[in-house]
Amino acid sequence: MRLVTLEDVRAAAAAIAPHVVRTPLLTFDSGLMIKPECLQPIGAFKQRGAVNALSRIPSEDRARGVVAYSSGNHAQAVAYAAKTLGMPAAIVVPENTPQLKIEATRAHGAEVFVVGITERESRAAELVEERGATLIPPFDHPDVIAGQGTIALEIVEDFPDVATILVPVSGGGLISGVAAAVKALRPDVRVIGVEPALAGDATASFAAGERVHWDAHDRARTCADGLRAEPSELTWAHIREHVDEFVTVSEDEIRDAVKQIARRTRVVAEPSGAVPVAAYLNRELQSGPAVAVVSGGNVEASLLASILG
């Protein structure tokens, strides 16, 4: 299996540059900077991978459009990228997707299909077959992984003293891209994956040395709705090769991290984006300057109010 390379990530950076924000690093405290990917136009890092993947679709295939399945942020990213690049998009989301994310996806002009939480991939496959469209999965795709890895290029350039990068993990596309790029540029930098304890399948897999499956309904228990997927064979190969450590955090720790990020940096993070900061605040991690990738900020107003109140 071919893994994504630094050259792939650099090519992705050139392809997506006109369509994404080069997010800054913000000070959380003396030991931690945050990379607020919630400042992207769609409110999450997923825009990077989606734009890169769609930009590489051959011109003769673009009229038939794209199909994606997602718990929310990838849905918005593909819808945004399709609108930007002039392609129709059909997006399949599970029924537990926050309404905020469904409405945002429709606002970008995509068709949205809401299905049961175990049916999103099969429905997407049907749409691809019916329409002859191109499938853009949320993480199981080298172009998506390479696009997410552009975050690492920016971190290393902006913060040469970084010693540790903390990354939220769901399907593993983000940490795969970040780790592949970082280890090529700075093998000494530690890459740590962070998951909710209620969706800690990748952590269990890392400890076991092989992929461990958790039932989708079990993973759905966490408030971090963007972290309910599980790694694919492709992302697991990147994780096994490049990631140094995994930790999990509790629901209370995640909610407190959302609050701390808002108070200290004036940034709104969704629970999925706050998990790396929760790990920094509550786990004994290797010392040295750290960066937490705050992956998104698309949080329902009622949930945010309950956390900040």
Side-chain angles (χ1 to χ4, degrees):
M1 180 183 298
R2 180 184 176 276
L3 302 188
V4 167
T5 67
L6 179 60
E7 290 70 28
D8 296 327
V9 177
R10 284 177 167 158
I16 71 176
H19 307 296
V20 303
V21 172
R22 193 185 196 285
T23 53
L25 292 175
L26 304 178
T27 300
F28 181 83
D29 67 15
S30 60
L32 182 69
M33 306 286 283
I34 67 167
K35 178 76 165 166
E37 285 293 295
C38 46
L39 300 182
Q40 294 293 346
I42 64 125
F45 77 98
K46 292 280 192 178
Q47 188 167 330
R48 295 174 183 265
V51 171
N52 188 50
L54 267 68
S55 72
R56 298 179 189 284
I57 295 174
S59 57
E60 61 269 22
D61 296 333
R62 294 190 176 196
R64 291 191 294 274
V66 294
V67 171
Y69 55 88
S70 169
S71 60
N73 284 332
H74 180 66
Q76 295 177 70
V78 171
Y80 174 93
K83 178 179 68 174
T84 301
L85 298 174
M87 303 179 218
I91 313 294
V92 182
V93 300
E95 59 193 358
N96 60 347
T97 300
Q99 192 62 31
L100 172 79
K101 296 182 178 181
I102 294 175
E103 291 171 358
T105 302
R106 288 191 172 122
H108 289 303
E111 289 182 86
V112 177
F113 299 83
V114 181
V115 300
I117 65 174
T118 62
E119 299 169 11
R120 60 182 192 169
E121 293 185 37
S122 59
R123 182 66 180 114
E126 291 172 358
L127 289 167
V128 167
E129 180 69 22
E130 291 167 7
R131 302 180 180 199
T134 300
L135 178 67
I136 307 295
F139 49 84
D140 190 27
H141 193 296
D143 292 337
V144 172
I145 291 171
Q148 321 306 23
T150 60
I151 291 172
L153 301 183
E154 296 173 11
I155 291 173
V156 171
E157 182 176 341
D158 292 349
F159 192 23
D161 292 335
V162 64
T164 300
I165 300 177
L166 301 161
V167 185
V169 177
S170 182
L174 175 58
I175 199 167
S176 292
V178 167
V182 167
K183 292 301 184 179
L185 290 167
R186 289 279 308 279
D188 58 307
V189 174
R190 288 182 63 77
V191 178
I192 300 177
V194 188
E195 289 186 298
L198 293 181
D201 54 300
T203 304
S205 298
F206 195 78
E210 61 183 6
R211 283 197 294 164
V212 174
H213 172 70
W214 285 25
D215 184 85
H217 293 88
D218 290 337
R219 287 182 269 119
R221 294 172 298 167
T222 178
C223 69
D225 61 90
L227 304 183
R228 293 169 175 165
E230 60 184 350
S232 66
E233 182 179 353
L234 178 62
T235 57
W236 170 245
H238 286 80
I239 289 168
R240 190 177 54 222
E241 180 70 20
H242 297 304
V243 177
D244 296 290
E245 184 180 351
F246 268 80
V247 297
T248 62
V249 290
S250 72
E251 297 296 291
D252 286 344
E253 290 166 344
I254 294 169
R255 295 168 74 94
D256 179 64
V258 172
K259 183 183 298 186
Q260 294 298 328
I261 292 168
R263 289 179 174 174
R264 299 191 196 195
T265 69
R266 310 301 188 267
V267 165
V268 172
E270 62 185 280
S272 303
V275 294
V277 175
Y280 172 81
L281 291 171
N282 296 283
R283 299 293 176 271
E284 292 293 331
L285 305 174
Q286 185 163 316
S287 60
V291 172
V293 179
V294 176
S295 55
N298 295 314
V299 56
E300 294 275 12
S302 57
L303 176 57
L304 183 62
S306 72
I307 292 172
L308 298 181

